[in-house]
Amino acid sequence: MNRKVQAAFAAAGLSLVLAGCSTVGDSEDGAAEASEPTTSGAAGGLAAEDMTMVTVVKVQGIGWFDRMSQGVDSFAERTGVDARQEGGDDNSAEKQIAIVQDLIAQQPTAITVVPNDPASLSSVLKQAQDQGIIVVSHEASGIENVDINIEAFDNASYGEDIMTNLAQCMAEEGEYVQFVGGLTAKTHMEWVGAAHDLQTESFAGMTRVEEPIESTDNEAVAYDRAREILAKYPNIKGFQGSAGNDVPGIARAIEEAGLEDEVCVMGTSIPSQSQKYLETGSIDKIFFWDPALAGEAQLEIAMTLAQGGTIEEGTDLGIEGYESLRLLEGTENVYVGDAAVAADAAKASEYDF
């Protein structure tokens, strides 16, 4: 019996981590900590039809952000706000900065952004705020010069969930490696950092053989890097991916090497990109949140602020997974939802994106 089948039997009886698996923002006694409402000094009381909002994503033309664009379009249709999505043709921080600079001259009501490099983008976002433009970010907890940063869940819990599942698959022993879209991708580094911390504390039989490897959120690059790892570490037993294109690229290398039953592959991806590999066993489980709903959540926050409202502990955005926001402990403007999903092949087949 191969290692992964043994691990599957060992994990029998454990339920799949479902949407809303993370518990975030709680005080030490388990009760949600109260927060002061967060307000914006930007224009208040605007009607939806008088608003223009632009969502700037890491890169256009990949599955993850194609799905987010659907959420932007849905928000526009539902609310009457003139909303659209823009992004570069690669994950360059410089291209994102240039896009935001161009948008500032257009004076939209709000810019929502998923940063490639939060630190690099901070200065231009300050310019936007100085012009009275509302700024909302996603996947960028701790970024400066935004009104609100919204996360689908607590990043540490998400990374720990991935590691817990990877450890079960690996029977808690063997070598593994982690991929990130970029070393400046804050959320990716938080996920792999929390996962590695949990591994060193709880799964002593496992060993991370390299520092996180950059894929530039490119499936072909992830494939090439995975092939290099397989050649360099013939006993490798696990891969964790962070960018949406990491896991499919890794899985392709695993499948070509005929290692579906020997190597565990898990990480962030969407069902449409991963289903065929989940069905062959080249991917064991994916973790995700719906980018469309995340796109809508960013815009809903921006509209609330533009109409003079507040975002506070317990705010209900009226969007699945974001019905009761929580302030991330130790922050003033980072709010998290409860929108995480973990899926094997059967669970992933329930989603149409």
Side-chain angles (χ1 to χ4, degrees):
M1 184 179 295
N2 66 60
R3 185 184 307 275
K4 287 166 64 175
V5 173
Q6 289 177 323
F9 279 112
L14 293 177
S15 61
L16 177 68
V17 182
L18 298 175
C21 60
S22 299
T23 302
V24 295
D26 286 348
S27 61
E28 293 183 356
D29 63 4
E33 294 184 351
S35 67
E36 292 297 322
T38 302
T39 60
S40 171
L46 289 176
E49 58 268 24
D50 296 327
M51 300 181 194
T52 300
M53 299 184 183
V54 185
T55 297
V56 181
V57 297
K58 293 182 177 181
V59 57
Q60 292 277 58
I62 65 173
W64 188 271
F65 292 114
D66 287 346
R67 176 65 177 175
M68 184 169 285
S69 181
Q70 293 178 25
V72 172
D73 292 344
S74 176
F75 174 84
E77 182 177 355
R78 173 169 58 84
T79 63
V81 172
D82 178 6
R84 69 182 189 274
Q85 180 170 297
E86 295 188 11
D89 56 6
D90 60 38
N91 66 342
S92 161
E94 291 74 19
K95 289 181 181 179
Q96 267 197 325
I97 291 169
I99 290 170
V100 173
Q101 287 174 329
D102 288 344
L103 290 175
I104 291 172
Q106 299 172 33
Q107 285 291 295
T109 309
I111 296 172
T112 71
V113 60
V114 188
N116 285 308
D117 183 348
S120 295
L121 205 61
S122 179
S123 179
V124 73
L125 296 180
K126 177 64 163 57
Q127 295 173 30
Q129 287 189 314
D130 288 346
Q131 292 297 314
I133 299 170
I134 294 166
V135 180
V136 177
S137 60
H138 175 56
E139 293 192 58
S141 60
I143 188 172
E144 297 180 351
N145 302 321
V146 302
D147 293 281
I148 298 289
N149 180 77
I150 180 67
E151 301 293 329
F153 40 71
D154 173 65
N155 286 321
S157 295
Y158 183 77
E160 289 169 355
D161 285 339
I162 296 174
M163 176 51 64
T164 297
N165 282 269
L166 184 63
Q168 290 172 359
C169 183
M170 293 174 60
E172 301 186 11
E173 61 181 24
E175 299 173 340
Y176 75 98
V177 70
Q178 298 172 310
F179 281 38
V180 294
L183 297 178
T184 61
K186 183 174 176 58
T187 53
H188 294 185
M189 295 302 291
E190 289 179 349
W191 301 339
V192 298
H196 183 240
D197 287 346
L198 179 64
Q199 177 265 303
T200 56
E201 294 169 4
S202 302
F203 307 115
M206 295 171 62
T207 303
R208 187 177 75 175
V209 294
E210 300 249 352
E211 293 295 311
I213 296 168
E214 290 186 284
S215 69
T216 70
D217 201 357
N218 184 300
E219 185 172 331
V221 174
Y223 164 74
D224 288 338
R225 298 285 188 272
R227 290 185 63 195
E228 292 169 4
I229 290 295
L230 291 173
K232 187 175 181 180
Y233 302 100
N235 295 319
I236 196 82
K237 293 300 178 184
F239 285 80
Q240 176 187 344
S242 301
N245 285 307
D246 287 353
V247 176
I250 294 166
R252 179 182 159 200
I254 294 297
E255 196 165 271
E256 288 183 358
L259 295 172
E260 300 94 326
D261 293 332
E262 303 299 327
V263 179
C264 297
V265 178
M266 297 187 182
T268 303
S269 190
I270 55 176
S272 63
Q273 289 183 282
S274 300
Q275 189 64 47
K276 66 179 181 179
Y277 295 117
L278 284 163
E279 291 174 355
T280 65
S282 302
I283 298 174
D284 295 276
K285 193 174 288 186
I286 59 172
F287 299 75
F288 60 96
W289 64 106
D290 188 340
L293 298 180
E296 288 201 59
Q298 295 170 70
L299 292 165
E300 191 71 35
I301 288 171
M303 186 170 71
T304 297
L305 298 179
Q307 293 179 328
T310 61
I311 302 299
E312 58 190 349
E313 187 87 14
T315 291
D316 181 359
L317 297 180
I319 297 168
E320 183 180 357
Y322 302 88
E323 298 95 340
S324 182
L325 300 186
R326 296 185 182 182
L327 181 68
L328 188 64
E329 185 176 357
T331 72
E332 296 180 352
N333 67 343
V334 179
Y335 287 85
V336 297
D338 201 5
V341 181
D344 59 9
K347 181 69 178 177
S349 68
E350 300 175 8
Y351 294 86
D352 61 357
F353 64 88

